[in-house]
Amino acid sequence: MQNLGSAREGARQWWMQRMTAVALIPLTLWLAASLLRHVADDYATLIAWLRTPLAAVLMVLLLMALCYHMALGLKVIIEDYVHLDRLQIAALTLIDLLSVALAVVGIFASLRVALSA
Amino acid sequence: MPAATSPRPALDWLKHLLEETVTLIRSSEQQPRVTLLRRFPVPRNFALPGNARIQHGRTWRAPPGAKRVKRFEIYRYDPDSGENPRIDTFEVDVGSCGPMVLDVLIKIKSEIDSTLTFRRSCREGICGSCAMNIDGSNWLACTRTIAGTAEPSTIYPLNHLPIIKDLVPDLTHLYAQYALIEPWLKTRGPVPERERLQSPAEADRLNGKDGKGPAACILCFCCTAGCPSHWWNGQRFLGPAALLQAWRWLADTRDEAAGERLDALEDPFRLYRCHTILNCTRTCPKGLNPGQAIGAIKQKIAQRRS
Ligand code: SF4
Ligand code: SF4
Ligand code: FES
């Protein structure tokens, strides 16, 4: 039962999962509302909207919170249900790498739209 | 339930559905008002290894002249026979039987099939021996009324544990997890001349104002056996019963080892594998709230971090 003892961690992930969840509530509401408002607009108007400082900042925050929250959640699912050691480690590593990649791509795209002349 | 005279039954039903799904379960005394599924929709015996597949057993007919016959489908397993587990059906005359499910089991053992094996001792809900799965939820056989069971009523041992025989599960691992939280008073200072006193308010933290504090736990393991996180990761996750007991010592004002207790618990699996599913609180036959105790431990750890 003692196995390898206590890892003395886990509190941070637990806290971050809750923090990102709380942050995601207003951020997703904001995104849904904005998209609904622009649903009839053409591409140029949408881009113009994304270039406003507020929209760009909120978009980057949303992407960071979303990817972090997604990685934590997916890893918990894998830890709970995948019990083949090698498969589990592979899946966990993949989730980490892919969510960082996803966040970087998304943030880069937003910034590029927002900052390009 | 909404009053029958309510002008808007559909709205009331929606309100109850919301309450049921949104409000937190605080005690097993909250009766579910809306039940979506009686059991998880997978076939029986799904993905079970060959020797665990449950088969149909025999049926014991009610004696002629029985007044009130009720059927009980009971899980039977005898490792010595080399056979798979089976479900036996017992038709019991509950007209000539005590009021509780445990009375039925004792009646079956003494009048119908003496090989039926189960644990019991106090027959009043205080020893925790007779915990089993009745009609799909874990409860004490001695505090579940026959009148409150389904027809036929199904009786299985506690879930997800190795079975020694019939309704007797092997609790060795759960006791080892209980031992791991070191359930005894730890102090540092010199031993006092007399008892370590507590104020009534301090004692309430253990007993609960309503008598449902962590000290009221009888270690029946209904909660741990019903916890999905413990099913998937029982080797590493301590489970609600052991964690409720860990909280019992953390909440004790006489105990001086809170720091090292939290050290031992702070682990992604031992403590944080609890996802607040609250099956534990929903099933505790003593009406305790292990889910809340686990939340309190997480709060203590958060406190000492910042
Ligand atoms: S918390 Fe309740 S269900 Fe769990 S072991 Fe204690 S008495 Fe039994
Ligand atoms: S609240 Fe935690 S301990 Fe209780 S059943 Fe859910 S996962 Fe298990
Ligand atoms: S026999 Fe003691 S709790 Fe049921």
Side-chain angles (χ1 to χ4, degrees), chain A residues 6-9 79-80 83, chain B residues 232 263 266-268 273 275:
Chain A
S6 154
R8 305 278 163 96
E9 63 163 42
E79 284 164 353
D80 278 358
H83 283 153
Chain B
W232 311 145
D263 283 347
E266 189 177 352
D267 179 276
R273 213 34 39 182
H275 302 321

Side-chain angles (χ1 to χ4, degrees), chain B residues 51-73:
Chain B
N51 61 354
R53 284 169 187 269
I54 303 173
Q55 283 157 357
H56 287 289
R58 61 172 292 188
T59 299
W60 304 75
R61 297 265 165 238
K67 285 186 205 68
R68 279 203 297 129
V69 176
K70 189 170 159 51
R71 278 188 302 147
F72 291 87
E73 295 181 347

